[in-house]
Amino acid sequence: FPLLPTMSLSNPYNALFLTHSLTETAALVMFISSPQSAVSAPQPHAYGLIRQYGLALLTLNMCIWAVIYHRSFLSQALAPFPREATRLRRTLALALATYHLGVSVRGLTRIAAGDRDKAMGGPYVHAGLHVPLGILFVGAAIFWSEAEIIAVKPKGRSRKAK
């Protein structure tokens, strides 16, 4: 059945997408369940925005899970268009790079300003997690190889070695 989850962690890009998903799952649970702990001095009217941010992260994770866990379905659907499958993964990697670089800038700015607040682990945790992930996603967006895509060959088109 094509919608049953399948995943290969031998593909470094799947591992990278999964790393992002696991990293952000802890944050989104906290944003949704305990928005007051996300910032040091929150105003009650900000709780809705913080929860909404948590839901946006959940939505992003669901998109990632669709790509990495339903790889066989995605590969079959895009088999006639292998370059489109590559573009989809590169675009997802670029979107995640943009997100992580944005969070990195926020963490590094807080460090430069001498911020010692420990909300969500503090600026050193943000920078330490998001800078490497942002760099890795930029690399994935630029260097994604079509060889990483599992193409489904049409029947009768295989070549025999001579």
Side-chain angles (χ1 to χ4, degrees):
F1 187 72
L3 291 178
L4 289 177
T6 59
M7 181 182 74
S8 169
L9 284 180
S10 63
N11 179 326
Y13 300 102
N14 281 353
L16 184 57
F17 287 150
L18 186 62
T19 299
H20 162 86
S21 182
L22 294 174
T23 300
E24 296 304 330
T25 297
L28 75 87
V29 167
M30 195 276 308
F31 287 142
I32 293 169
S33 65
S34 183
Q36 67 279 5
S37 64
V39 290
S40 59
Q43 299 297 315
H45 64 274
Y47 295 169
L49 290 173
I50 295 169
R51 282 191 182 105
Q52 186 176 353
Y53 181 64
L55 291 171
L57 286 175
L58 177 62
T59 302
L60 180 58
N61 275 354
M62 291 171 74
C63 292
I64 291 166
W65 298 333
V67 169
I68 64 174
Y69 285 108
H70 299 295
R71 185 179 175 104
S72 63
F73 173 73
L74 186 64
S75 295
Q76 289 174 11
L78 294 176
F81 314 101
R83 290 177 193 245
E84 294 305 318
T86 299
R87 286 186 188 124
L88 172 66
R89 288 177 176 86
R90 281 182 154 170
T91 301
L92 179 58
L94 184 59
L96 291 170
T98 303
Y99 167 77
H100 285 286
L101 292 176
V103 177
S104 297
V105 167
R106 184 168 56 98
L108 293 171
T109 302
R110 289 174 59 199
I111 290 170
D115 186 348
R116 301 279 184 237
D117 182 19
K118 298 296 182 194
M120 293 291 296
Y124 289 96
V125 171
H126 282 101
L129 284 173
H130 294 284
V131 168
L133 283 172
I135 292 168
L136 288 170
F137 277 117
V138 167
I142 294 171
F143 300 112
W144 197 286
S145 168
E146 287 187 34
E148 298 293 333
I149 307 303
I150 297 174
V152 178
K153 294 181 182 179
K155 290 183 181 180
R157 302 247 352 225
S158 63
R159 294 183 179 178
K160 293 183 181 180
K162 293 183 179 183

